[in-house]
Amino acid sequence: MSQAAQPGDASGQQESTTRSTIKSAVQGILIFFAAQFAVSYFVNGSGQKSSTSSPSVPSPVPAYEARPDNVVPTESYNAIPQMIAPIWPMNSSLDISIYVSPSLVMPSLASVAPETLVLQERDFTLGNWQDKREIDTTFSVPTEVQNNGTLWAHFYVALHGHTLDPTSKDYNVANAYHFFRPLNQIIPKKKTAKTKKLLGASDSNNEVEPEIPQGTVFASYYHPNFTMSFIPDSGIQSYVAIHPAVRQHFNLETTGARDESGQNGWYYPVLFVNTFWQLRDHMIELNSTVKTLPLHISLNNLNNWKFSLYASIDEGLKQTQKQAASGGPLPAGGDGSEFEEFKRVLVDTNIYLLSTTAAVSVLHMIFEMLAFKSDISHWRHKKDNVGISVRTILANVFMQSVIFLYLMDNSEGTSWMILFGQGMGILLEAWKITKTVNVRVRQASPQSWLPYTVTFEDKHKLSETEKKTKEYDEIAFRYLYLVAIPLLAAYAVYSVLYDTHKSWYSFVITTLVGSVYAYGFLMMVPSLYINYRLKSVAHMPGKTMMYKTLNTFIDDLFAFTIKMPTLHRLATLRDDVIFFIYLYQSWAYKVDYTRVNEFGQGGEDEELEEKTANKPLTAPPNAEAKLAEKATGSQKSSAKKRR
């Protein structure tokens, strides 16, 4: 049950709550009347306003109590009502009961087992936004449901004090109604990776492994939480114009009563079983081992515009998931997994962390674009290879390719945003290789097994500083190999003996990516070593490093909100160490970016020269007039010659 506000609350909090309530109410009213006007004007073509918008305009549908007693003539009766109005007024007190059963047909409620009653609420006010109730219970799972049967929830709603049981002689359809909804879903099972030990004895002791069926496997899933929301402000609706996803939640008056025109009818209060916030990760697979299930129900009132939004999106996602499971073509939004991930972040993440993440996500995109632009600009205008570790670039291409293959191997647990960023990083590093050296395909030596080999050749004759850079690069990698290779070999031996893998390919990728994540920062050390030996960072892309530094700290925040493999999450923290060392070197080796450095790079004059060189050619002023004068003079001279 919701609790009322305490009298001792601060006035600022009350003002904030009041302001939020007024804003929400005004927004809901505007959207509601806009929808009503559009329906009445464009669908019916009459342009008349709904009866809810002005008390002076007569209602197109009379009250249910004012319905005609005599039978409507057959020729004017429409089985599908055109306009529908609420059968019960606002602020009605309602009684609600819910029973669970594996059958669509319910016997007399007096003969039903008491444990099947999961909810019994009395005197709930329709349209009272403060009336909110929470129900927690458990129930036994029927045998039919354990064997992939459907678990039905039967909803019984009546005006307070009236009979809920449709089999009772006192039951009156004007005062009560009944409908049902499934509580479980038949959806494709998640594909579980089958792993095994590649070497050594298996823990199963020669146990026969079950055969994994081919294709899509469906199973019954149940979610323990859902919200029941009455929609008190739905008003008069054009039944034929309601969106199908929304119309399925309307329960028409069961006798088929119509007004005098025979075209309009009535409907019971809409009770929306909201499953919009249900996440697949929180669902329970139903089988023979599940004996009891928990159930948490939230009962409240919901605005009509929110109801329409939830119902439309939720139904669209369900249809998309069904289409994906059946192998049909997918819409542009994919199979719904990205939106599921978005909902998971909203539901599972702390509100303060989520708010901070949402705020800095814009900054992350801006910094990423600026770093990408600055990095490309730096490499486009770089005139030599001073301070550049070619081996580090090649190693980066290899490591990022390994990470990309690992993310693809675990694609069910990785966001497409991560995959896209990783792929763009590979392309950028590969482009840097072509800017540093010439990549050539040469004929191999006679002793080689391959007819051709890929070679890397210097673009020009190296200067003295470039030769030093190449020498320092070789020294750094020589010591790096002494550390990295034993670590990689030790990790590979441990992994093949004690870990389980899907295949030898998965073992190779997992071992390599584990080494990259654990020791990958060692590949960044050569650049720091070259900076140390040259006593300069002037050759480094300063702006790019600054943007990447900011993005690294933002990535630390994203690592705890976006779904990704654990190793990839830990790797975001690894880069912080390298950037802190680079920041220290930037402080130790001061650079004046307004002057040309010792490597002939940078300086404001260079930027001015580049801007002048890139400036398009334009004709001087009065050029056309001068050309016209020359042409006139030549014509006069030719005329004199003819004379």
Side-chain angles (χ1 to χ4, degrees):
M1 297 285 292
S2 62
Q3 296 179 353
Q6 299 297 327
D9 288 347
S11 59
Q13 182 178 357
Q14 292 178 353
E15 292 178 2
S16 177
T17 304
T18 303
R19 193 184 310 113
S20 176
T21 304
I22 294 174
K23 181 180 178 181
S24 178
V26 171
Q27 187 178 18
I29 291 172
L30 291 176
I31 295 177
F32 170 71
F33 284 122
Q36 293 295 320
F37 175 79
V39 168
S40 61
Y41 189 86
F42 293 104
V43 177
N44 298 331
S46 59
Q48 64 181 10
K49 296 182 180 180
S50 173
S51 61
T52 58
S53 60
S54 176
S56 61
V57 179
S59 172
V61 184
Y64 183 71
E65 294 78 7
R67 66 188 184 281
D69 296 332
N70 56 334
V71 181
V72 178
T74 306
E75 58 273 9
S76 62
Y77 181 85
N78 194 337
I80 301 176
Q82 299 302 299
M83 302 294 294
I84 54 176
I87 190 173
W88 298 337
M90 186 81 77
N91 298 323
S92 298
S93 288
L94 307 178
D95 296 338
I96 309 105
S97 294
I98 300 178
Y99 292 82
V100 292
S101 171
S103 174
L104 282 174
V105 180
M106 286 289 289
S108 172
L109 298 184
S111 62
V112 174
E115 58 268 17
T116 61
L117 178 62
V118 295
L119 179 142
Q120 188 175 23
E121 292 294 319
R122 297 290 180 262
D123 199 19
F124 180 83
T125 305
L126 178 67
N128 183 3
W129 306 104
Q130 305 302 321
D131 195 351
K132 300 178 181 179
R133 308 186 185 186
E134 305 288 335
I135 301 94
D136 288 284
T137 185
T138 58
F139 61 92
S140 300
V141 181
T143 306
E144 297 87 343
V145 178
Q146 293 177 338
N147 298 321
N148 288 334
T150 303
L151 179 63
W152 296 99
H154 291 264
F155 298 80
Y156 296 89
V157 184
L159 293 173
H160 182 58
H162 290 269
T163 304
L164 289 168
D165 190 356
T167 62
S168 174
K169 62 179 180 179
D170 298 329
Y171 185 79
N172 187 351
V173 296
N175 302 320
Y177 68 103
H178 158 246
F179 67 96
F180 45 83
R181 293 284 186 273
L183 289 183
N184 60 331
Q185 304 178 44
I186 307 297
I187 57 179
K189 294 183 65 173
K190 289 185 177 180
K191 295 182 179 179
T192 56
K194 180 183 176 182
T195 60
K196 60 182 178 180
K197 285 189 175 180
L198 301 178
L199 295 178
S202 177
D203 296 335
S204 59
N205 294 328
N206 298 326
E207 181 181 351
V208 178
E209 297 180 351
E211 182 180 356
I212 299 179
Q214 300 295 327
T216 304
V217 179
F218 292 86
S220 177
Y221 286 89
Y222 164 84
H223 198 287
N225 301 326
F226 69 87
T227 302
M228 296 193 318
S229 301
F230 281 98
I231 316 301
D233 59 343
S234 51
I236 298 177
Q237 299 273 347
S238 174
Y239 185 69
V240 295
I242 301 176
H243 191 284
V246 178
R247 187 167 55 216
Q248 64 179 340
H249 298 283
F250 279 77
N251 292 281
L252 300 179
E253 195 268 348
T254 54
T255 64
R258 297 288 183 270
D259 62 355
E260 293 183 355
S261 67
Q263 302 295 314
N264 306 319
W266 296 266
Y267 66 95
Y268 298 105
V270 177
L271 181 55
F272 176 45
V273 181
N274 190 357
T275 61
F276 180 83
W277 295 108
Q278 290 184 356
L279 299 179
R280 185 166 178 175
D281 293 343
H282 299 165
M283 289 185 176
I284 303 171
E285 183 179 352
L286 300 180
N287 49 44
S288 58
T289 62
V290 181
K291 304 299 182 183
T292 60
L293 288 172
L295 180 61
H296 176 82
I297 302 175
S298 299
L299 180 61
N300 55 32
N301 290 279
L302 185 67
N303 296 103
N304 183 58
W305 69 271
K306 292 182 180 179
F307 154 63
S308 302
L309 184 66
Y310 283 145
S312 301
I313 297 177
D314 192 39
E315 184 65 21
L317 289 175
K318 289 179 179 178
Q319 294 298 328
T320 300
Q321 291 171 354
K322 290 180 181 178
Q323 193 171 0
S326 62
L330 297 179
D335 60 354
S337 58
E338 293 295 324
F339 193 80
E340 179 80 3
E341 170 68 13
F342 175 72
K343 291 196 299 183
R344 187 195 66 80
V345 171
L346 293 179
V347 172
D348 292 348
T349 307
N350 179 274
I351 183 62
Y352 300 106
L353 179 61
L354 179 62
S355 302
T356 306
T357 304
V360 301
S361 61
V362 178
L363 296 177
H364 184 278
M365 289 186 292
I366 294 175
F367 291 148
E368 190 171 6
M369 289 188 295
L370 291 175
F372 186 79
K373 173 182 176 296
S374 179
D375 202 14
I376 292 179
S377 176
H378 172 81
W379 281 87
R380 282 182 58 216
H381 302 120
K382 192 165 181 60
K383 301 175 181 178
D384 51 41
N385 294 339
V386 173
I388 300 302
S389 174
V390 180
R391 290 176 176 81
T392 298
I393 300 176
L394 293 172
N396 284 337
V397 173
F398 172 75
M399 291 191 299
Q400 292 198 36
S401 300
V402 169
I403 294 174
F404 184 79
L405 294 175
Y406 171 72
L407 295 176
M408 289 296 296
D409 196 40
N410 296 270
S411 57
E412 291 187 1
T414 306
S415 171
W416 282 102
M417 183 177 66
I418 303 296
L419 292 174
F420 177 76
Q422 193 68 31
M424 292 300 296
I426 296 173
L427 295 178
L428 180 59
E429 293 295 329
W431 174 74
K432 290 180 182 178
I433 296 176
T434 63
K435 295 294 293 182
T436 308
V437 294
N438 291 324
V439 182
R440 297 288 185 263
V441 178
R442 302 298 186 189
Q443 191 171 4
S445 61
Q447 294 80 12
S448 176
W449 292 355
L450 300 175
Y452 297 95
T453 58
V454 178
T455 60
F456 300 98
E457 302 173 354
D458 295 326
K459 287 182 173 291
H460 56 271
K461 185 178 179 180
L462 300 182
S463 63
E464 189 65 27
T465 309
E466 288 176 322
K467 291 179 180 179
K468 288 183 179 180
T469 299
K470 191 174 182 180
E471 177 187 353
Y472 300 152
D473 191 21
E474 292 176 355
I475 295 174
F477 265 85
R478 187 183 309 132
Y479 290 105
L480 187 64
Y481 292 148
L482 296 177
V483 177
I485 292 179
L487 291 176
L488 175 60
Y491 180 76
V493 172
Y494 174 86
S495 180
V496 75
L497 291 179
Y498 297 102
D499 293 339
T500 58
H501 304 276
K502 292 185 291 185
S503 62
W504 281 102
Y505 167 79
S506 179
F507 158 72
V508 172
I509 294 298
T510 305
T511 303
L512 289 176
V513 82
S515 302
V516 168
Y517 284 141
Y519 319 122
F521 71 96
L522 296 176
M523 293 298 176
M524 305 179 189
V525 173
S527 296
L528 300 179
Y529 177 75
I530 293 174
N531 296 345
Y532 166 72
R533 294 298 300 267
L534 294 178
K535 302 300 182 184
S536 173
V537 293
H539 52 271
M540 300 291 288
K543 292 183 179 179
T544 303
M545 298 299 290
M546 179 187 66
Y547 295 139
K548 287 186 176 181
T549 302
L550 296 174
N551 261 357
T552 296
F553 298 123
I554 296 176
D555 287 339
D556 297 340
L557 184 63
F558 272 115
F560 297 98
T561 56
I562 296 180
K563 190 174 182 180
M564 62 181 69
T566 305
L567 289 175
H568 195 75
R569 180 175 285 115
L570 295 176
T572 60
L573 305 176
R574 174 205 70 194
D575 296 337
D576 298 342
V577 179
I578 299 299
F579 282 123
F580 277 124
I581 297 176
Y582 169 74
L583 290 177
Y584 169 76
Q585 290 184 336
S586 299
W587 172 80
Y589 313 135
K590 299 296 184 181
V591 178
D592 184 3
Y593 289 102
T594 63
R595 300 176 57 191
V596 178
N597 58 41
E598 62 269 31
F599 307 117
Q601 301 171 356
E604 294 178 351
D605 295 338
E606 181 177 321
E607 295 181 0
L608 292 174
E609 291 175 1
E610 181 181 346
K611 291 180 180 179
T612 305
N614 294 332
K615 186 177 180 180
L617 296 176
T618 56
N622 302 326
E624 295 182 359
K626 292 180 179 180
L627 290 175
E629 291 178 359
K630 290 182 179 180
T632 305
S634 60
Q635 290 176 359
K636 289 181 179 180
S637 60
S638 60
K640 290 179 180 180
K641 290 180 180 179
R642 285 196 298 270
R643 290 176 184 174

